Structures are given as structure tokens and as C-alpha cells.
Amino acid sequence: MRTFLFLALTLSGLIATAQLPAFNAADQPEAPDYALEKNWSTLPFRTDAADRIPKSEQWISDSLKDVDVFFVYPTIYLKGKTWNADLENKKLNKRIDSKPVRYQAGVFNASARVYTPRYRQAILKSFSDTVDGPKALAFAYEDVKRAFQYYLDHYNNGRPIIIASHSQGSHHTRRLIAEFFDGTPLQKKLVAAYVVGYACNQDSYKKLKPCENETQTGCYVTWASYKKGFEPGETMLAGNVCINPISWNRDTVAIDASKSMGGILLSFNKKYVNNVSAQVHGNILWVKNRMPIISSWNNLHIADYNLFWFDIRENVKRRIDAYKKQR
């Protein structure tokens, strides 16, 4: 739980980061070559962090999956000497793999081949710094964009695609789906986009729409989790579309914990069934949960996936099935 607590304190602004020089693209670490496997956290047909499954689940060979997921992980780069992360930082890569990739990207491994590029993510401070922060985030996005183009050119082979992300990753994927899918021929290949933990505004897209139910395809879902009754005030979620990841609807009906398929925390083999209720409240998701430690937290950002792990896993299957029936 120490990592969860540390990230929660950091996201609340309780842990300060060191002073950084003004952003200069030339001062950032070297760009990754996506032709090299080392610059991918996960790839199909190899053993990596996204392959972990609970004992209750059965592993399905990547050869039997006919859909891909392109996953972009959240901010793990909390402090450093540059605005953007160095992909040669082995300790950082290990934290990325063992936390968000394992617990978030891995939720998709029952139904899709998982592609997770390493990218020079912006340091956490970028979200509070209004001068250099946006530059660092834009710099990070260019890696994500190049990785996705490489994926399309070398890996996709015309297969249906799921886009998935969390937090900073969603900051980037909301732009990625606008550029690559919104009103383009590639939109027909989009099963769905899971753009979680960051504002995703409907006004940003011409053709892409938020999903209205559990089987709609070619659309996006998004939510940001807070304790029921908590009002976060001014956040980065202004204008956010919010869906309920238990019912997969956008209405404000409170969904009882008895409907929840289950979540996980650190142990894949401890399934918290019927422990989470959820309700859309404006542009956020109000959550009541009985899980250890996090049940008392107001900001449940880092558990956006964990709370609904089995709900997401099942929903991915249903959307893929629906997509296949439509084709």
C-alpha cells in the first residue's frame, strides 16, 4: 500500500518536486526508437507486465485474440532533473511496469493483444506549472503519436483497435483519438477508447461520441473516481463526460455494489466482489467502496481501474463481441 499512499499524497500536492530549469526540448532525454523492443513496455507474444492474471482467470494465447489494445500509462515520473522522463531510467521503468502496466494495461489481456509504448512522460509538476508544463506535456505527446504511428505501420495489419489510458496517458490519448480516429477511415476500426482519469470533453470531437451503453462501439468512455459525497472543487475535469463503469451508462442512477463484478488492489488473487457502488455526479464519478485503506480516501484517482477491474474486463469482451457482430 505504500506506493498507493505515496502517489495519493503526491497527486494531492503534499509532496514537492525539485526546481527545474525552463523547458527546452534540446535538454530532454533522447527520443525512443520504436523499432526497438526495449522501447515497448509490453508487446504481444512475449512475457511482460501486462500478462499477469488472477488465479480465477485462464490465460488466452495472443494468437487467439483478434483485437489490439494500445495503452498509454499515467504519470509515474514524480521528480527528476528534466521535464521529461529518461527511458534509460531502469528504476522508473520498473515502477511503470509493476504498477500501472500490470494493474491497468493487464485488464485487457483476456480479449486483446496489449501494446504499451514507453514514452518520455512529463514530470508530475507539469500539471501545476502553467508556463513549462504544457510544453513538457506536448513534448510527451509526440512520443505517443510516433509510437502509435509505428504500431499502425508495423503491428496492426488492419486489426480492430482499443485505445486505453489513465491520467497523463489520457491527456495524450484524448488528443490521439481526435487526430487519428475522429471522422477518419480509422474510426471504423475503433472498438472503443477507455480514456480514464482525465477530462474528455465532447466538444473536442466532430464525429466521436461518448458511449451510451455497454455494447456501443466506435465511441469513448471516461470517468474520474471520488468518494461519494466529496466535491473536489476546481479540477482538470471541467467539461468532462462521465460514465458509470458498472452500468456503462451516463445517467445519474446510483448503481448498487451488488451489481459490481469486482475489483483488485495489490493482490491479483484477492477479488473484492460487490464492494463498490457508483453514481455519476456531474462530471465526476461518486464511489462508495469497502476496500482496505482506500475506502476512506476522497480522491480515488489512482484506483480508477482497480475499483472496477473485473467490470472493465467483462465490458471489453462485450464490446468486442458487439463489434464483430456489426462487421
Side-chain angles (χ1 to χ4, degrees), residues 10-13 75 123-130 133-134 137 166-171 174 195-201 204 222-224 226 232-241 283-284 299 301 304:
T10 303
L11 291 165
S12 300
T75 309
I123 199 167
L124 179 67
K125 181 181 178 180
S126 300
F127 291 97
S128 59
D129 186 295
T130 58
L137 287 163
H166 187 242
S167 197
Q168 179 174 162
S170 292
H171 176 89
R174 63 181 187 169
V195 187
V196 182
Y198 206 93
C200 197
N201 194 321
S204 299
T222 180
W223 66 90
Y226 291 87
E234 293 295 325
T235 69
M236 292 179 287
L237 297 168
N240 188 46
V241 172
N283 56 12
I284 65 172
N299 186 340
H301 178 73
D304 278 325

Side-chain angles (χ1 to χ4, degrees), residues 50-65:
D51 294 336
R52 183 75 181 273
I53 58 172
K55 288 183 178 179
S56 60
E57 299 286 297
Q58 183 175 3
W59 175 253
I60 298 174
S61 170
D62 284 331
S63 63
L64 300 177
K65 302 165 189 172

Side-chain angles (χ1 to χ4, degrees), residues 1 51-52 105 135 164 229 231 255 263 279-280 283 325-326:
M1 288 297 176
D51 294 336
R52 183 75 181 273
K135 298 174 185 177
E231 297 285 357
I255 305 301
Q279 179 179 15
V280 174
N283 56 12
K325 290 177 181 178
Q326 295 165 6

Side-chain angles (χ1 to χ4, degrees), residues 33 36-41 46 87-88 93 118:
D33 177 359
L36 301 178
E37 285 196 12
K38 72 172 186 176
N39 290 322
W40 294 83
S41 170
R46 79 179 194 193
L87 300 193
E88 297 301 321
N93 289 342
R118 300 201 186 279

